[in-house]
Amino acid sequence: MGTARRLRLVGGMRALETVLVWDPARCFAYRVEEAGVPGVRAMMEEWRLAPSPYGGTTLHWTIALDVRQPVRPLWRAANPLLAGVLRRAARRLDLRIASAAVHG
């Protein structure tokens, strides 16, 4: 915990994140220290995994954003885009978990 990572996302967005929680089987949470996104003052994400009563795993994703007023409507309009990003990230996470289970 407390580990920082710099990343560049599709579209050229850059960020500096600090890991708050890292439990590979249950939870990953981080806060964004610096974001190359106009109007974002603060951001935090949590990915929580839990056994599903139907088999497999349930993913609970929480994102908290503090954005400046002029760009707030743009973030609301971006919700469908964020949902697609989450789906793709969840699929990659699922593949990583499956690969880790196979490789011990």
Side-chain angles (χ1 to χ4, degrees):
M1 288 187 290
T3 301
R5 70 178 186 164
R6 287 196 179 276
L7 62 136
R8 186 183 317 191
L9 301 173
V10 175
M13 185 188 110
R14 296 173 188 223
L16 172 62
E17 301 173 343
T18 299
V19 176
L20 303 173
V21 177
W22 175 250
D23 179 347
R26 291 192 204 131
C27 185
F28 174 58
Y30 61 90
R31 82 174 162 251
V32 176
E33 305 294 338
E34 299 171 14
V37 179
V40 174
R41 290 187 286 212
M43 180 176 164
M44 190 235 115
E45 284 190 55
E46 177 187 56
W47 297 61
R48 188 167 295 278
L49 303 171
S52 170
Y54 309 105
T57 302
T58 300
L59 169 64
H60 297 273
W61 179 60
T62 303
I63 183 170
L65 285 167
D66 180 8
V67 295
R68 297 185 195 292
Q69 181 55 39
V71 296
R72 214 169 271 163
L74 296 174
W75 277 100
R76 284 193 188 104
N79 278 339
L81 177 64
L82 287 173
V85 168
L86 172 62
R87 278 191 293 280
R88 286 189 299 278
R91 278 193 286 269
R92 286 193 305 269
L93 177 61
D94 190 39
L95 292 172
R96 279 186 154 190
I97 290 170
S99 176
V102 168
H103 296 97

